[in-house]
Amino acid sequence: MSLAEEYTEASDGSRLERGLAYVQRNSRAYLLIAPAAVFLLAVVGYPIIETFRLSLYQSPADSNIETFVGLQHYVEIFNSDIFYRLLWQTGRWVVVGVAGKTLLGLLIAVHLKGDIRGRKFFRTAFLIPWGIPYAISAVVFRWIEHPQFGYLNAILLKLGIIEQGIGILGNPSLAWLGVVVADIWIGTPFMAIIFLAGLQSIPQELYEAAAIDGAEKWHQFRYITLPQLKSVVLIATLLSTIWTFVSFDVIWTMTGGGPISSTATLVIHIYQVGLQNGNLGRGAAYSVIGFLFLLVFAIIYLRIYTRGGDEL
Amino acid sequence: MQPDNNDRSVEDSIDRRRLLQALGAGGAIAIAGCSGDGGSGGDGGDGDSESGGDGGDGGTQSVQFLTMGVGDNIKQFFEENNTAFEDEHDVDVEFTSVTWDNARQTVNNRVDGGEAPDVSRWPARWIPQLVGKDALEPLDDMMDGEFGEQFYDGVAEGTMYNGSHYGVPWAASNKCLYYNKDVFETAGLDPEDPSLDSWQDMLDAATQIRDSDASVPALGLAGADAIETGSQYYHYHWSHGADLIDDEGMPVVNSSEAVDALSLYTDLHLEHNVTQSSPLSSTRQDIRQLFENGDLGMVIGHVYTGLNITTAKENGDVDFDYGIVQVPRGPEGRYSLFTIDTLAVLSQSEHKDLARDLIRFYFDEERRFQYSKQKGFLPVVEAVGERSYFSESKNWGPFVKAGQYARARPKLGNFSEFNDRMVQAIQEALADRKSPQKALNDAQSDLEDAME
Amino acid sequence: MTMAGHDRSGLRKVRLYGVLIGLLGLMMLPFYAMFSSTLKPESEIFAAPATLVPSDPSFQAYLQVWTQTDVLLWVGNSFIISVGTVVLTLLLAIPAAYSCARNDFVGKRTFLLAVLVVQMFAPVVLIVGLFDVITQLGLFNTYLAVIVPAAAFTLPFNVWMLYGYFKTIPVALEESARIDGASQLQILTKIVLPLTKPALVASITYTFLYAWNRLLFVLTFLTDSAKYNIPRGVFSMVGALQTDWRMMLTVSVIGIIPLLILFAFLEEYIVAGMTAGAVKE
């Protein structure tokens, strides 16, 4: 890497001097990232450090006294059954949710790319789900799936598919799917607009050349669109994974994590333990574990990406 | 470590507690409609935050009166009476009303910040937390004396914590069993004399409705992951002689009586099939709504259900007749879940006598009557409840009568955690994932661990 | 474009619109459920089973909503919060992303990863610590109490996304400007940004909507009802025992209208951005 060489090759003098000289030479680069870095440190630096600190303390709801307990929370969490159940439930929630949003988003973006009639209408209409407060969308979905008042059941009843309203959100085996659908619905427009912006930056000549070669649509998609979209897809799915992992509003509003905790994810559990039941230390320990999972995931994900020859 | 720093960290964590409580309330809000067996009756969103009364200075004493959810229907009541009290005692009343969604945070901010009001109203379930902060003045001098005799017994009990009264009952809400007369008629049951005295009676009627031409489910059963699923179930629990905690405050949720109660609750759905479909997705709000639409045979509800139906009928939105009877009796008695709001004197107050005078003033019988009537709250004072406006009203009568069966949820600092675990047990049994015995045993052992 | 005959392109068109309309229908169903409910009387909203088409549609709710709720105030506040968040976020994100895309320096990878770390904690988890920060900065109950944390949580996406787009812009364009003596800032504003319009539109849309929809920060850091945004306003209508669903949903529908106008407006920019791109070739 050139920058590492540059760093070590720098002329003699103390490490500090060399470091300063390096920073000075690249001062423009550092100055430009400084505002963002300082802002983030100031606003979220403390809350994050505080979460780490709290995870080592017992901090009960009904007193203001904190007791240092070391890694006790972590040990107890790793020894509990609920943790592994939460991992599994979080995993399926993230995988199905992100896959759904990505595929639907891609499908919409590809079809909206061209110069089609009513493009403005379609593009605007597809964004509507994104413009509704998440909690409201969740309420509406809960309602749609409601066994008595719901539209879904009304349609199924009308079609004669069922005789009695079914309660998806009340079924411990199905409820998570009922919630994932809402999450996909809410998250798809974001994916679509990101992919659309990515598609528009692909040079049109590439397609024209392929068309002359007689490439099929699918081949164009496979060999031109996807590779060109790679970095956009990477960043979008990485972020979407993180967001879906830490999402709270939709599950909480639709099921509160139930029935029988079947829709609870790590974050729902953190909220229940830490904020509702006031066990801040335990909640913080769960947060740190969740964070480490995401960090490791992000590093591996980015490494796989950079292995392909692209730089970060 | 500098002593300075220690002080800071205590301060910080107080802030944090304050926030936690606010979030607790926020969580309830976020559920949007599945939640809120609010402090007392139905004033969740009404009214704006508003500061009334003139807090004029001058040399006179002033008393700060904080309350919540004062809507247009009751604003004038407070304005007039505060003025009357000011004239009578030559003092100023600084009257503040906040909305319910800000209430808890406001109270905690003011108490922690050393700016507590002299008199305040809030749900009785906040008492343990506020007593934990030494924020409340015991009012045994009032409640054990002549003043305390005006209240219904179960109601007066509702302000008790650790052997003392930390407030005076201000408003209440309780439960009765509603039934749809049209549905009963269709099923060949007597709509005027439904004989719904015991749970068995209720089940018999429900079975008959199920087997009849009536096209609606017989009984509403709450089973969703929401706090009120507990509130609905506790009627069954208590009436079988089961309890939630013992005298030492330890959980006792898996007694054989409790197993009987939960078995009955779940069998209504699993065995007898007399409930609405999929009770696990139904909140108490949902089943109440079904009944109010005329789409349900029976439901346990509070007085608002009747008042709502009356309004809807006047608007021509629905057209059915309903009756109200007491919550059915179990082998060991009959209970009606009671939640109350209290009026408290704060220990920070420098005008405690004046604060007590203000409370006595507002408990003048005529004032209590006007308040209950205008606000639509269940009377807490026996003499008010006996007035014909309430006792002879179709909607109010049965609820006034239910005052004698009043029972409040246990006052535990961590009741919401306790209740969550109970709701989980109810769900496990309702989903047929565990037997009632196993579900309650597991809850018991988890609760024992949590209580340590 | 090569023309593969009228028939084939006609068929392709039918298929294209078929897919689009099908997808749109799917995406619109929940919105339809919401909108149609606002046209029903309160009693019909809770009909069991639901009426798929309002039996007697009425726009009454859209007349009542202006007097019964503070919807205009909420929309105004949402705008202030969203615009504030967009401005703050972009001011911080654009220079940072550009710097990372154009320079190679020690700490770049760490910076980019550290930015992502912010997202790896659920906001509900960090809210306790954020509360301390907001009160220490004296922002409690100001618009900034929402704008600042919203900017912190939208910054990672913006830095990453813009970084990705900036990298796709040929350096050659900038080199010539540099030779002409333009500063890096001038190059950024005069040459790079105009070329990244589609990306900026995506950034602005994302950031704007993040702030528009966010309930948590308003719920926690704003208790002054005069500063409520739309979601907070909607949830102030949830009563313990009584909730006016019709009004709640009506406010939610109205909250979408300004966004639709905004989207349509931004759409122009996407087109403009593409044309600019074509001209440069």
Side-chain angles (χ1 to χ4, degrees):
Chain A
M1 270 282 73
S2 66
L3 59 102
E5 282 162 24
E6 198 179 342
Y7 186 81
T8 42
E9 267 180 20
S11 57
D12 39 27
S14 73
R15 268 180 77 99
L16 183 69
E17 270 172 41
R18 266 183 295 152
L20 280 177
Y22 177 82
V23 170
Q24 207 156 33
R25 225 170 322 116
N26 294 280
S27 63
R28 221 175 34 204
Y30 287 111
L31 271 180
L32 286 175
I33 64 163
V38 170
F39 178 80
L40 281 182
L41 264 183
V43 178
V44 285
Y46 166 75
I48 289 176
I49 293 166
E50 183 65 0
T51 304
F52 276 91
R53 189 191 68 81
L54 266 177
S55 74
L56 305 176
Y57 285 81
Q58 184 70 42
S59 171
D62 47 4
S63 85
N64 290 327
I65 302 155
E66 292 176 347
T67 337
F68 183 78
V69 294
L71 295 176
Q72 190 192 325
H73 286 306
Y74 293 95
V75 173
E76 284 177 15
I77 288 171
F78 287 122
N79 284 328
S80 69
D81 295 341
I82 177 103
F83 174 64
Y84 299 96
R85 207 177 118 198
L86 286 170
L87 274 190
W88 155 241
Q89 290 178 180
T90 309
R92 69 181 182 190
W93 160 257
V94 171
V95 169
V96 175
V98 173
K101 288 177 232 184
T102 308
L103 292 178
L104 263 178
L106 207 51
L107 197 62
I108 291 171
V110 167
H111 284 90
L112 279 180
K113 186 189 63 144
D115 220 352
I116 57 167
R117 195 184 290 267
R119 190 178 72 162
K120 184 179 271 187
F121 165 77
F122 279 115
R123 288 193 177 179
T124 311
F126 273 117
L127 289 175
I128 284 181
W130 199 2
I132 304 170
Y134 294 177
I136 298 277
S137 300
V139 169
V140 170
F141 263 92
R142 185 176 154 255
W143 199 354
I144 289 172
E145 296 175 25
H146 197 283
Q148 278 87 33
F149 314 122
Y151 276 54
L152 183 65
N153 277 298
I155 293 171
L156 294 178
L157 281 169
K158 204 153 249 174
L159 295 176
I161 297 172
I162 53 171
E163 281 179 11
Q164 201 188 34
I166 48 167
I168 299 164
L169 296 179
N171 183 326
S173 314
L174 289 180
W176 75 278
L177 281 173
V179 185
V180 160
V181 168
D183 191 55
I184 291 175
W185 185 77
I186 292 169
T188 296
F190 165 78
M191 288 300 211
I193 196 175
I194 294 307
F195 293 150
L196 195 55
L199 286 173
Q200 279 168 350
S201 61
I202 300 176
Q204 196 58 37
E205 303 86 67
L206 288 177
Y207 290 105
E208 281 162 21
I212 292 165
D213 292 347
E216 284 295 318
K217 270 272 165 198
W218 166 248
H219 279 96
Q220 287 184 22
F221 179 77
R222 173 73 185 77
Y223 294 105
I224 300 173
T225 311
L226 272 189
Q228 290 286 323
L229 263 188
K230 190 176 160 192
S231 78
V232 174
V233 171
L234 167 95
I235 294 171
T237 49
L238 176 62
L239 282 168
S240 181
T241 302
I242 295 174
W243 291 334
T244 310
F245 191 98
V246 301
S247 77
F248 172 78
D249 295 16
V250 177
I251 303 178
W252 187 252
T253 310
M254 286 184 75
T255 63
I260 324 178
S261 306
S262 62
T263 56
T265 59
L266 265 180
V267 168
I268 295 288
H269 192 68
I270 289 168
Y271 182 82
Q272 290 171 331
V273 168
L275 297 182
Q276 273 200 317
N277 299 337
N279 192 344
L280 276 180
R282 176 62 60 92
Y286 269 114
S287 304
V288 170
I289 294 171
F291 159 70
L292 292 176
F293 262 95
L294 285 177
L295 187 67
V296 169
F297 169 80
I299 290 172
I300 294 173
Y301 201 82
L302 291 172
R303 183 147 299 164
I304 291 171
Y305 171 70
T306 44
R307 190 182 294 159
D310 303 89
E311 63 156 327
L312 179 67
Chain B
M1 274 281 141
Q2 308 255 320
D4 229 328
N5 278 345
N6 279 334
D7 285 347
R8 264 290 306 286
S9 83
V10 169
E11 203 109 287
D12 279 354
S13 59
I14 289 172
D15 275 352
R16 213 167 278 140
R17 306 280 153 205
R18 210 184 288 167
L19 175 74
L20 286 186
Q21 283 134 17
L23 283 175
I29 289 169
I31 303 182
C34 354
S35 88
D37 199 358
S40 63
D43 45 356
D46 65 352
D48 297 320
S49 180
E50 141 251 349
S51 237
D54 36 352
D57 19 23
T60 45
Q61 274 192 328
S62 77
V63 55
Q64 295 183 359
F65 183 12
L66 177 71
T67 181
M68 296 117 207
V70 172
D72 291 338
N73 57 344
I74 200 72
K75 202 188 270 179
Q76 202 188 350
F77 169 84
F78 280 110
E79 281 168 2
E80 282 172 6
N81 283 307
N82 285 336
T83 312
F85 183 78
E86 285 174 339
D87 292 346
E88 209 173 279
H89 288 78
D90 192 26
V91 293
D92 284 328
V93 178
E94 284 180 41
F95 179 71
T96 314
S97 170
V98 293
T99 49
W100 273 108
D101 51 1
N102 278 332
R104 190 142 197 186
Q105 195 168 0
T106 306
V107 166
N108 283 305
N109 281 349
R110 291 188 61 171
V111 167
D112 296 341
E115 291 167 10
D118 298 299
V119 177
S120 183
R121 164 218 179 163
W122 46 56
R125 67 195 144 85
W126 294 7
I127 288 178
Q129 184 231 338
L130 288 162
V131 169
K133 290 185 179 193
D134 289 329
L136 300 185
E137 172 86 354
L139 296 178
D140 296 322
D141 54 325
M142 292 173 84
M143 292 301 289
D144 290 342
E146 197 188 331
F147 178 84
E149 284 166 17
Q150 62 182 314
F151 301 104
Y152 292 101
D153 286 345
V155 174
E157 200 107 318
T159 65
M160 276 284 247
Y161 181 64
N162 286 350
S164 281
H165 289 283
Y166 283 100
V168 170
W170 174 255
S173 131
N174 63 352
K175 305 279 157 66
C176 280
L177 180 69
Y178 283 85
Y179 66 96
N180 185 319
K181 289 188 177 176
D182 294 8
V183 172
F184 269 54
E185 189 135 29
T186 313
L189 292 155
D190 184 352
E192 297 314 319
D193 180 20
S195 57
L196 292 169
D197 188 52
S198 67
W199 295 119
Q200 187 57 48
D201 295 340
M202 183 185 83
L203 176 58
D204 290 345
T207 315
Q208 197 166 328
I209 293 170
R210 182 197 67 193
D211 297 336
S212 75
D213 292 338
S215 57
V216 301
L219 187 65
L221 199 72
D225 205 338
I227 34 172
E228 310 85 11
T229 293
S231 327
Q232 288 271 314
Y233 164 72
Y234 297 147
H235 291 111
Y236 295 74
H237 194 79
W238 289 330
S239 67
H240 280 77
D243 222 328
L244 294 171
I245 53 171
D246 63 15
D247 294 340
E248 271 85 58
M250 289 308 285
V252 286
V253 301
N254 64 338
S255 61
S256 65
E257 292 86 1
V259 174
D260 290 347
L262 186 57
S263 302
L264 171 62
Y265 198 77
T266 52
D267 281 351
L268 289 172
H269 171 55
L270 297 172
E271 169 94 22
H272 305 295
N273 196 23
V274 293
T275 69
Q276 84 282 11
S277 65
S278 186
L280 276 164
S281 37
S282 303
T283 62
R284 187 201 58 188
Q285 304 269 88
D286 292 337
I287 54 176
R288 188 208 73 189
Q289 194 74 53
L290 273 178
F291 187 85
E292 288 178 12
N293 292 352
D295 292 330
L296 200 57
M298 291 176 271
V299 76
I300 293 176
H302 40 57
V303 71
Y304 277 85
T305 298
L307 298 178
N308 284 343
I309 300 172
T310 307
T311 316
K313 281 173 82 167
E314 278 164 11
N315 296 340
D317 289 338
V318 294
D319 182 26
F320 68 94
D321 232 340
Y322 62 94
I324 308 172
V325 294
Q326 297 304 314
V327 173
R329 181 172 50 76
E332 296 296 326
R334 188 197 306 278
Y335 294 98
S336 170
L337 184 86
F338 228 81
T339 41
I340 63 172
D341 277 10
T342 74
L343 214 51
V345 175
L346 284 105
S347 45
Q348 285 176 23
S349 168
E350 288 167 6
H351 315 288
K352 291 191 178 108
D353 290 335
L354 194 57
R356 284 182 166 82
D357 286 342
L358 182 70
I359 293 179
R360 285 207 176 83
F361 174 83
Y362 266 102
F363 275 83
D364 167 73
E365 191 188 313
E366 183 58 26
R367 285 195 185 96
R368 290 308 310 167
F369 175 66
Q370 289 301 331
Y371 179 77
S372 299
K373 184 178 145 190
Q374 288 175 31
K375 183 73 194 180
F377 270 144
L378 195 69
V380 289
V381 171
E382 241 169 310
V384 174
E386 281 162 11
R387 291 201 181 188
S388 59
Y389 177 86
F390 288 109
S391 61
E392 285 167 25
S393 147
K394 172 184 172 170
N395 284 325
W396 287 102
F399 286 89
V400 171
K401 208 174 143 219
Q404 58 184 304
Y405 307 118
R407 181 155 178 180
R409 283 170 285 213
K411 280 199 191 56
L412 284 173
N414 56 350
F415 184 75
S416 88
E417 191 178 357
F418 187 102
N419 193 54
D420 283 350
R421 189 59 191 84
M422 284 304 288
V423 170
Q424 190 190 323
I426 297 165
Q427 291 199 319
E428 285 164 347
L430 258 182
D432 213 6
R433 293 273 167 113
K434 288 180 184 172
S435 69
Q437 177 79 64
K438 172 103 170 76
L440 290 171
N441 284 347
D442 292 353
Q444 173 74 18
S445 82
D446 282 358
L447 287 170
E448 278 171 13
D449 289 347
M451 295 291 207
E452 279 179 10
Chain C
M1 281 297 279
T2 53
M3 277 290 148
H6 267 352
D7 283 357
R8 221 177 128 192
S9 98
L11 192 70
R12 192 176 289 163
K13 261 204 177 117
V14 169
R15 210 176 54 194
L16 175 75
Y17 283 102
V19 173
L20 273 180
I21 289 168
L23 280 172
L24 190 65
L26 209 64
M27 296 297 279
M28 283 296 114
L29 267 183
F31 179 72
Y32 172 78
M34 197 172 149
F35 179 69
S36 64
S37 295
T38 64
L39 307 182
K40 297 175 180 178
E42 188 80 27
S43 57
E44 195 184 330
I45 293 181
F46 286 101
T51 49
L52 296 176
V53 179
S55 55
D56 182 19
S58 150
F59 282 88
Q60 196 71 37
Y62 291 87
L63 298 176
Q64 292 168 346
V65 71
W66 310 103
T67 50
Q68 289 190 7
T69 71
D70 291 326
V71 62
L72 276 182
L73 177 77
W74 298 336
V75 170
N77 286 333
S78 286
F79 255 107
I80 294 173
I81 291 169
S82 286
V83 170
T85 309
V86 168
V87 170
L88 181 57
T89 308
L90 288 187
L91 278 181
L92 296 168
I94 291 173
Y98 184 64
S99 174
C100 290
R102 283 293 175 266
N103 304 295
D104 214 0
F105 54 90
V106 171
K108 183 172 103 174
R109 277 168 159 272
T110 317
F111 172 74
L112 284 171
L113 202 61
V115 165
L116 264 193
V117 164
V118 174
Q119 308 263 288
M120 296 182 184
F121 292 88
V124 287
V125 172
L126 295 184
I127 202 83
V128 176
L130 271 177
F131 181 79
D132 294 348
V133 173
I134 296 294
T135 45
Q136 291 291 321
L137 293 175
L139 301 179
F140 194 78
N141 250 339
T142 67
Y143 290 117
L144 279 175
V146 181
I147 293 173
V148 165
F153 282 95
T154 49
L155 199 53
F157 166 79
N158 282 296
V159 167
W160 274 78
M161 215 63 200
L162 292 173
Y163 164 69
Y165 282 110
F166 285 151
K167 273 201 318 184
T168 65
I169 294 172
V171 191
L173 278 172
E174 298 169 44
E175 290 302 334
S176 55
R178 189 165 296 137
I179 292 163
D180 291 347
S183 72
Q184 196 161 12
L185 192 68
Q186 281 170 326
I187 295 170
L188 179 62
T189 51
K190 296 273 158 57
I191 297 174
V192 180
L193 286 186
L195 290 180
T196 35
K197 265 183 187 164
L200 281 178
V201 167
S203 271
I204 291 171
T205 310
Y206 163 79
T207 312
F208 193 93
L209 287 176
Y210 182 96
W212 190 267
N213 288 335
R214 219 39 55 151
L215 177 63
L216 182 70
F217 300 136
V218 185
L219 199 60
T220 321
F221 305 136
L222 282 184
T223 52
D224 178 2
S225 58
K227 296 200 176 76
Y228 281 3
N229 64 353
I230 296 169
R232 185 65 185 87
V234 165
F235 280 95
S236 71
M237 297 162 76
V238 177
L241 297 163
Q242 288 296 47
T243 299
D244 191 340
W245 283 93
R246 202 169 54 118
M247 275 298 134
M248 229 175 95
L249 294 173
T250 306
V251 171
S252 304
V253 171
I254 288 178
I256 301 172
I257 296 170
L259 295 177
L260 294 183
I261 297 170
L262 190 80
F263 288 149
F265 174 74
L266 284 174
E267 168 78 1
E268 299 284 348
Y269 266 84
I270 301 181
V271 179
M274 286 189 348
T275 333
V279 168
K280 117 217 160 192
E281 290 300 331

